[in-house]
Structure formats: structure tokens, C-alpha cells
Amino acid sequence: LRQGTVISFNWKKHYWVLTKHGSLHEFPSRTQTTPDASYSLPQYTVALEEGDGGVMNVAMHPLSRGWFASRAPTKLVLKAEGGARAMEEWVVALGRFVAAPPPPEQDA
């Protein structure tokens, strides 16, 4: 669905991949094949907010909370490499999971 380089909250470049089923994966480089972090967006209430300086604030609140799960949302501050156009593409792609999350992935 969308992939590209994004500068995350610690302002280091990371490579992100968003699948059509709403899995958001974070990689420290394009050559690493195992993500450092993965989020299944259909398992969260996702909120997007435009921040200062061309950044996008993403807050992910878990839909269900287990015994040991944190009540605090997971927060990301993203800035797409490639300017306003690239950031707009990320907003559109992530926006699919704000308004209407897709059904969960089916095992083959």
C-alpha cells in the first residue's frame, strides 16, 4: 500500500512499510529484512494530526487491553522524506485505517 523513508520521533531515518491489511512495519534501513517494530492498525483506534514543521502525529490507542497492556497510546511523530507530496501520500494511506479499518488478514 505504501512504503518509504520517514524520519521518526528521534529524528533518525527509518524505512516504513504499510500493507493493504494495515500492518505498519518499521525498519532501520532498506536492507534489513526483519522489522524493529510492527503495528497491526486494525487493532488500534488511529488518530492523525498535522503538526508543526510538516510532521504528522500518529496516536494509536489499543482497541482491547489485556492484563499487562498499557493504557497509554503508542505515539509516532513522522516526517516523510520527499516533502509535502510524500507526506500527503502517507496521510491518505494511513487515513484508510482511521475511517474504516479493513477486515483482518485471512490465513491461507
Side-chain angles (χ1 to χ4, degrees):
L1 182 62
R2 180 75 176 106
Q3 59 184 0
T5 303
V6 174
I7 301 170
S8 63
F9 73 95
N10 58 9
W11 304 117
K12 293 182 180 178
K13 287 185 181 181
H14 293 261
Y15 190 69
W16 292 82
V17 174
L18 176 63
T19 70
K20 66 181 179 179
H21 297 291
S23 294
L24 181 64
H25 304 289
E26 175 189 7
F27 300 88
S29 72
R30 290 178 184 244
T31 58
Q32 185 167 332
T33 58
T34 304
D36 279 356
S38 294
Y39 307 95
S40 177
L41 297 184
Q43 302 301 315
Y44 294 89
T45 298
V46 180
L48 303 177
E49 180 181 284
E50 187 175 340
D52 295 333
V55 302
M56 178 176 45
N57 299 307
V58 181
M60 298 180 291
H61 301 266
L63 292 177
S64 62
R65 295 183 177 100
W67 183 256
F68 295 105
S70 170
R71 294 184 181 269
T74 299
K75 294 183 179 181
L76 304 172
V77 178
L78 307 175
K79 183 173 184 175
E81 187 175 71
R85 173 93 173 151
M87 186 54 109
E88 183 179 316
E89 291 173 2
W90 274 104
V91 169
V92 168
L94 288 167
R96 292 184 59 217
F97 302 99
V98 173
E105 293 179 338
Q106 300 283 331
D107 290 334

